[in-house]
């Protein structure tokens, strides 16, 4: 079932509702998790599933922003859910909710890519854990989008653009750089950049590059 977290009078167009997928087979814990997320004042739409089939369907149809999964359930478990989500939605953070987890288990989960874990006897942490995980995801997506925009501009620009390493060698050149210079990419990156600068301009070029470092 899907639930809205905010009443109509508090909801507005400037608030982005986060799609939260909870994987849990005990209704009492679902209600406690929902309460803690509401308490953290996170606008959200909630979907609850309790088995692998429902989880796989939700990844495609619901497309969550974050997943909260019970660590151990009847016929399904949190780490399996995590591994499935990584194949379908690798940028979506997963928080495990568990009754018991020792330090070794927690360390292993984090090493595998779990965003966080919350003990069921300390669910007051849920709101903060969700906020942090979503903030980190937003930052990753922001950088990813910025890199994609940069790559498009880099490839399509009619101007010569290059990336120069600290060692003085070109690390990347755009198509316009290759076309205008008359050299192929391998040649351009196989010799120091200064070799391609006219002898009369090399000292000035070194000074300009030095000022940027």
């Amino acid at each position: 079932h899907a639930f809205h977290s905010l009443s109509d009078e508090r909801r507005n167009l400037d608030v982005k509702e986060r799609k939260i997928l909870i994987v849990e087979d005990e209704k009492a814990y679902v209600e406690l998790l929902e309460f803690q997320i509401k308490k953290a004042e996170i606008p959200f739409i909630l979907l609850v599933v309790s088995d692998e089939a429902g989880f796989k369907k939700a990844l495609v149809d619901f497309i969550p922003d974050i997943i909260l999964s019970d660590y151990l359930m009847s016929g399904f478990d949190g780490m399996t859910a995590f591994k499935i989500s990584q194949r379908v939605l690798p940028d979506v953070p997963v928080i495990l909710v568990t009754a018991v987890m020792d330090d070794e288990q927690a360390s292993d989960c984090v090493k595998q890519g779990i965003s966080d874990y919350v003990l069921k006897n300390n669910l007051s942490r849920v709101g903060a854990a969700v906020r942090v995980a979503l903030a980190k995801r937003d930052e990753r997506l922001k950088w990813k989008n910025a890199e994609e925009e940069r790559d498009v501009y880099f490839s399509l620009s009619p101007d010569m653009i290059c990336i120069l390493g600290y060692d003085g060698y070109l690390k990347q050149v755009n198509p316009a750089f290759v076309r205008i210079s008359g050299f192929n990419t391998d040649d351009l990156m196989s010799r120091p950049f200064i070799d391609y600068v006219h002898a009369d301009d090399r000292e000035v070029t070194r000074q300009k590059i030095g000022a940027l470092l």
Side-chain angles (χ1 to χ4, degrees), residues 41-106:
E41 298 186 345
I42 300 170
F44 69 95
I45 302 171
L46 185 66
L47 180 67
V48 181
V49 298
S50 59
D51 56 30
E52 185 172 345
F55 180 70
K56 288 180 176 178
K57 187 174 188 301
L59 292 179
V60 176
D61 296 342
F62 185 59
I63 313 178
D65 294 309
I66 189 168
I67 298 166
L68 278 70
S69 177
D70 193 352
Y71 185 54
L72 288 175
M73 293 168 284
S74 176
F76 197 37
D77 65 86
M79 288 309 295
T80 299
F82 168 70
K83 290 171 184 175
I84 293 171
S85 72
Q86 286 292 287
R87 293 195 295 268
V88 182
L89 298 171
D91 290 324
V92 173
V94 176
I95 296 175
L96 293 180
V97 182
T98 178
V100 177
M101 180 175 286
D102 60 36
D103 291 341
E104 186 176 344
Q105 288 175 311

Side-chain angles (χ1 to χ4, degrees), residues 5-13 15 38 40-43:
S5 66
L6 297 181
S7 59
D8 289 337
E9 61 269 21
R10 290 184 59 196
R11 202 177 290 135
N12 62 67
L13 294 177
V15 176
K38 283 182 178 179
E41 298 186 345
I42 300 170

Side-chain angles (χ1 to χ4, degrees), residues 176-194:
F177 199 107
V178 173
R179 186 180 68 256
I180 296 170
S181 70
F183 295 96
N184 64 46
T185 302
D186 290 339
D187 288 340
L188 287 167
M189 294 194 289
S190 66
R191 295 163 55 189
F193 169 72
I194 202 70

Side-chain angles (χ1 to χ4, degrees), residues 158-208:
D159 300 317
M160 298 172 72
I161 303 176
C162 66
I163 296 176
L164 182 64
Y166 286 106
D167 59 1
Y169 283 77
L170 291 168
K171 303 303 180 183
Q172 192 174 352
V173 293
N174 73 335
F177 199 107
V178 173
R179 186 180 68 256
I180 296 170
S181 70
F183 295 96
N184 64 46
T185 302
D186 290 339
D187 288 340
L188 287 167
M189 294 194 289
S190 66
R191 295 163 55 189
F193 169 72
I194 202 70
D195 287 358
Y196 296 100
V197 178
H198 191 280
D200 294 342
D201 299 322
R202 286 179 183 173
E203 186 56 37
V204 173
T205 301
R206 288 192 182 96
Q207 292 175 8
K208 294 289 186 182

